[in-house]
Amino acid sequence: MKFGDHLNESMIPEWKDKYVEYKVGKKKLKTFKQKLQNDIDETTTDSLLNASVSDSIESTYIDQENSTPVTPSHVYSIQKDYSPVKKKIVQEFVKDWLIGEQLNKCNDFYEELINDCRKKYNILENQIRFYNIQRHSIDNKKTRNLLIVSSSESVDVENTPIDSTIQHPYAPNRGRVITLNGQQNVANANKNFASHFLYFQKLKTILKNNNLLPSLPAKGITSYFHQNGRGSQGKETFNASENDMLSEITVEKAQKLLTEAILEFYLFLQLVKTYRDLNLTGFRKIAKKFDKTCETKECLKFMNYAKENYTIFSHIDPNIALMTDRMKKTSTYQPLVFEDITPENESDDPLLWWESKVRGWYIKDLTNSLTEMKRNNDKLRKFGIQYSLNERIIHRINISILQMTISGFFIGAAFSLIIYTLYLIFTSDDKAYIHRILFPLWGGWYMVLLISFLFIGNCFIWHRSGINYRFIMFGEIQARSGTQFFNNDFATTKISLKYYFISLFILACSILAIISFQLEKLTPLGFIFPGIVITLFLAPSWMIPFWDKLVETRKWLFCSGIRLIFSGFYPVEFGDFFLGDIVCSLTYSISDLAMFFCVYVRSDNATCSSSHLRSMGVLGCLPSFWRFMQCLRRFADSGDWFPHLLNAAKYTLGVAYNATLCVYRISPKSFHSRQIFIVFATLNATYTSIWDLVMDWSLLQPSQNNTFLRDDLYLAGKKNWKTGKYSNKRKSIYYFAMIWNVIVRFEWIVYAIAPQTIQQSADTSFILATAEVLRRFVWIIFRVENEHVANVNLFRVSGTAPLPYPINITSITPLGSSDSDEATNIIVLESNSGNDNLSVTNEPQQTSNRINRFDTVGAVPNVDITRETRIEEPMPAYHPPLERRTTTFGSISKSIPWAHTSDFQRPSIVATTLPGRDSDNESENESIASG
């Protein structure tokens, strides 16, 4: 693979604009080569060309090699023995472009990354110091422990071991402090309560581990009105389900949070190392190629100059030693796990220095046994960037080919059957059982499966366009993105696996549908398919090939569905709001549930239609209502009225639209109901169209190069390297998408102007539902692209991990005499809560007076002090980095390009490893590599 392709595949998508433009440099070299050739033709005779050119070139090389090496300085010098044209080329390419533009750009960004890493490292260092003091204070103290139990008796206890401390925060007599003799058995005193409490704790743990534990809003809806009228001052919560962090921080909880934060920081260091190493290789190769093309000796001089004056090159020697050591210890068959080289001091290579320190915290400080140390050590090794990769791990037996073959066969057969059922429907009589009952019910399943199939197509489009959808949707940090080949291979995307997954559902649906249409019966086939869906979701891994690779997919769909149904009880992450918007396009399918139950309850099937069932209208309102509740929850969590309340108003219109449509279809001859329907339908279509284009897609924004579009258009391909503009032909896709989106949003006009026979026709509803699904397919593409553009502009490649302790520790003071075992530690903190995040922002700081002290059970109670302290608050996602006092309208107009980023809270970070690193078994490696 050529290095240009390797660089393009290995670069971190969100930092794409900050890499050396290697391919642009190659194109420039072609023009310079032509200039040199023209110069030779103009200044030399034919005899000199034929006899002396090679000799003159050789003498030039000899003179340069024997000359005194140029000492690097802050001014890049050009050799005097070059011809005027060659001097001009060196000036334009090396000094002006390679150094003046590319090296300065990469070095400035690298220094920003280093400063960001240093700040995060200092925060984590204080967190670890705080954690060690807390754990040490618990291990060494011998004090009275308070056992909170559900009892009304009080018995003294002395010198009770800390391990026997039991807290029942949900006990009926919470708040009553009871002391028991250490020899008495608490479980015998209240065995029933302990048993019920144990089951409650297990259920709570299960719900929490699956992200299904309900929680109260982080701030509360009324909190906005207590912030001097400024909702934007609210803190953007990262994980609102951890509301109990605001009370007591136990050692176990602190250990868990620090483990996640340190792991995320470790992965961030890996990404920074990737950025540095790829650019160093790119600069070296382009300088070497310049020498080869223009017949100069600038590569060595450039490297020495860059090493002398630029930070990104100053760490090259330790890095080369690391790479050399790794290459020596890596076999050509299986990548080998090895110990990293640790620099002698931080100045040599801060990234390697911080990495070694973080590794020590993760393996030693945050473990309680040798087994945990070994497990954490193995985990870090899997996340380390690998500098060599055996191509056969991915390509020798590529299971993705088998998955695509099977899914292609299943989907092809299923679509043939579905098309045949549609032929039967459209050629049947409107009053036939097939047309009135079977068509809407099976058509509802068709819509669900179609949008699922199209979503996987979206994933492929994002993959080909370089949009990091896996980080956006699932919070995955791709640790395998590094200096390695084939890291962006299709086999590693799991797209083929998802096609295989959905193909089984589509095939089963099509087979049962064709049987149902041939028999003209719904029973029992209407119950069999939902049973098959449930069976496939709950099927054990050994029952179906590759089903063990889909455990997380099935779990995510199930849990996200529950979180959507109970919207408002959970903080809104990307998957929650994203699934809610997709379901809003499936009102056709959800409404048909009322018809399904009507067919089995009523003897007269003629009344089971949209012109008779009010329940169909109620079910059609549910998706918009769920999104409405999510918007209110986002407002309650963040305290920001914009855009969440405006978004809630949009879904209120959606509810009104579906409700008035139901009333209008039940009584189509009522002029009053028709007028109300047209009013709400017009408002809803206009509001949602503007919101889609301006807020969700960030189009119709002022742009210098792209009329009515954004500056960054990933679906428009690459910019012209000379003009820096996109192709007009490729940009046209955005204009067609905008027109298509608006047209489908106004499809309600068919219901308003068409005769009753067309309005109530099952054909009309199915066609309009299909158009809405296709509109959502297009909307999804540009919505995720817009989120990726925001991540690129903000250089966001990781989440904001919650931390257990306030981030600013000002002093650590041991209290108590040296001969006392009762000594404790006082830590003075600059904070107003215990729910801080590992982030560095420019948000205005707030003040608070607080001191925290460890008690005997390891919690952190809060005691006020009379000193002023300060803490940095994370910045709400959509606010610009520098915020000034402006009018409300001005604030909204500045926030519009970033409003879409606050639709959700950032998901927890998921670390993904390199294929083949999880086990030593070759077959497993091949399976993992295939997705």
Side-chain angles (χ1 to χ4, degrees), residues 373-390:
M373 292 178 64
K374 185 178 182 302
R375 183 181 67 246
N376 285 7
N377 187 37
D378 293 339
K379 193 171 185 179
L380 281 187
R381 286 179 173 181
K382 293 174 184 178
F383 294 150
I385 291 177
Q386 198 160 318
Y387 286 81
S388 64
L389 177 67
N390 185 2

Side-chain angles (χ1 to χ4, degrees), residues 693 697 732-742 778 782:
L693 301 182
W697 292 358
S732 62
I733 187 175
Y734 289 86
Y735 299 108
F736 284 120
M738 288 191 288
I739 296 172
W740 166 256
N741 188 82
V742 174
V778 175
F782 294 100

Side-chain angles (χ1 to χ4, degrees), residues 487-556:
N487 60 8
N488 201 25
D489 192 89
F490 176 77
T492 66
T493 62
K494 300 183 181 179
I495 294 177
S496 60
L497 188 62
K498 291 181 174 62
Y499 265 120
Y500 172 78
F501 177 66
I502 193 62
S503 67
L504 297 182
F505 294 90
I506 297 177
L507 181 63
C509 179
S510 63
I511 293 175
L512 294 176
I514 194 68
I515 295 175
S516 178
F517 279 94
Q518 290 292 338
L519 300 178
E520 296 188 9
K521 291 183 179 180
L522 183 61
T523 306
L525 302 171
F527 289 99
I528 291 177
F529 183 65
I532 291 177
V533 172
I534 296 174
T535 302
L536 289 175
F537 264 89
L538 301 179
S541 301
W542 52 266
M543 183 176 293
I544 304 174
F546 309 117
W547 224 238
D548 57 325
K549 308 295 189 302
L550 292 163
V551 174
E552 290 300 322
T553 300
R554 291 180 284 162
K555 176 181 174 182
W556 185 87

Side-chain angles (χ1 to χ4, degrees), residues 46 78 172 223-224 552 561 670 793 795 804 829 836 839 842 867 869 908:
D46 293 338
I78 301 176
S223 64
Y224 167 76
E552 290 300 322
S670 173
N793 291 331
F795 306 113
L829 305 171
D836 294 296
S839 63
N842 296 322
R867 61 185 298 271
T869 56
S908 300

Side-chain angles (χ1 to χ4, degrees), residues 16 63 68 267 360 519 627 814 893:
K16 191 172 184 178
D63 292 340
T68 304
L267 289 172
L519 300 178
R627 283 293 289 125
S893 63

Side-chain angles (χ1 to χ4, degrees), residues 407 411 415 447-458 499 502-503 506 777:
S407 59
I411 292 175
F415 278 0
M447 291 299 109
V448 175
L449 297 175
L450 176 62
I451 202 168
S452 302
F453 178 80
L454 293 176
F455 172 74
I456 302 175
N458 291 142
Y499 265 120
I502 193 62
S503 67
I506 297 177
F777 162 73

